[in-house]
Amino acid sequence: MTVVGPFGLSVRDQALEADVQAGLAAVEEGLLEATKSEVPFIQEAAQHLLRAGGKRFRPLLVMLAAQFGDPYAPGVVPSAVVVELTHLATLYHDDVMDEADVRRSVPSANARWGNSIAVLTGDFLFARASHILADLGPEAVRIQAEAFERLVTGQILETAGPRDGRDPIAHYLDVLGGKTGSLVAVSGRFGAMMSGADETVVDVLTQYGERLGVAFQLADDVLDIASDSHESGKTPGTDLREGIPTMPVLRLRERAERLGLAEDIALCELLDSDLSDDARYEEALARLREHPALETARRDTVRYAEEARATLAPLRECEAKAALVELCDAVVHRAG
């Protein structure tokens, strides 16, 4: 059993391990090449988060999906570079919106160079992704464009909040489907499609990626509350301090409305107060870590991971399928 990539997936088959490791190494080279610039400052900013590391979750999924066709097909590695560049670009923009100071255990680009440079660097990465994408054909361009539209729509929906009468949890799951699920779905789709896999396999791995992406973000929601910065690579409770509702908070509010318990209502009121005060923020974080809502959010993560696993049923039994199943377990493990 060998651990592959920063995400920590265990692979039991030597041939699959070699293919995945080689693919991820080629992706890393492609990312460095794609972020080069004749302007040294642009290159420094574009490679800031890239060199800080990361799980390479999406390229890993591309490599595993490609095993259902020809994993050495010429479009596989470039498509993985495209999805990771797109993901990196969104991180630059997200950190501006969230006013985050830390990302991947290093100062965020906006903390280091200011919001304008961070936004423009994200735009630069989108441009480089589009340049690579153009060589993969019009169908790939269309798929990426649709996913990017969903991603932006999810971000807008999160910012706008649920419309009157809409269940906040259902709204939030729609947000995650757009913000995270869409690009992870493209990872599975590109890997299968670029490898020449059967259309049925492409559809299965697209659906798998969508559900796994939501599970992945739900696990991040739990980590944002439960972990320290060493585990998560960013400041814990960032979303909490900014008043961004994540699943643990939404589950708390749902419980408070349903049961009307004084302690739940009091915690909701604390979360609604000014958490820029460090003492109040630390109290809110500590109380939420001990609250049953956090465990409910963990169960939400498990549910989506199990749904992702179930979508794999039509695929032939092979080491790549076993690795995709284990990827579901790895996502759940992140949430504790």
Side-chain angles (χ1 to χ4, degrees), residues 182-198:
S182 61
L183 196 56
V184 180
V186 166
S187 302
R189 187 170 184 177
F190 274 173
M193 186 176 87
M194 296 298 169
S195 72
D198 183 81

Side-chain angles (χ1 to χ4, degrees), residues 159-298:
T159 303
R163 64 179 183 272
D164 290 345
R166 179 85 196 280
D167 174 28
I169 290 176
H171 171 84
Y172 185 62
L173 290 171
D174 283 348
V175 166
L176 297 192
K179 277 187 62 179
T180 307
S182 61
L183 196 56
V184 180
V186 166
S187 302
R189 187 170 184 177
F190 274 173
M193 186 176 87
M194 296 298 169
S195 72
D198 183 81
E199 190 61 37
T200 301
V201 173
V202 175
D203 289 343
V204 165
L205 290 169
T206 302
Q207 294 173 38
Y208 167 83
E210 177 90 18
R211 289 162 176 78
L212 189 69
V214 174
F216 185 84
Q217 186 57 57
L218 289 171
D220 264 7
D221 285 359
V222 173
L223 275 173
D224 186 59
I225 301 300
S227 73
D228 58 29
S229 58
H230 176 73
E231 290 177 85
S232 64
K234 60 183 182 181
T235 305
T238 297
D239 292 333
L240 191 68
R241 193 189 284 270
E242 295 299 320
I244 299 170
T246 58
M247 190 58 82
V249 173
L250 291 171
R251 286 301 185 189
L252 165 66
R253 296 189 189 282
E254 176 198 46
R255 175 184 158 110
E257 184 174 340
R258 177 166 46 87
L259 300 179
L261 298 177
E263 58 267 33
D264 293 348
I265 294 170
L267 180 51
C268 288
E269 290 173 350
L270 177 60
L271 293 178
D272 289 335
S273 67
D274 181 11
L275 295 184
S276 63
D277 178 85
D278 287 343
R280 194 178 288 121
Y281 158 76
E282 292 292 346
E283 180 188 354
L285 189 60
R287 288 172 62 179
L288 195 53
R289 282 173 172 169
E290 299 298 322
H291 196 277
L294 189 62
E295 180 56 35
T296 305
R298 284 195 178 99

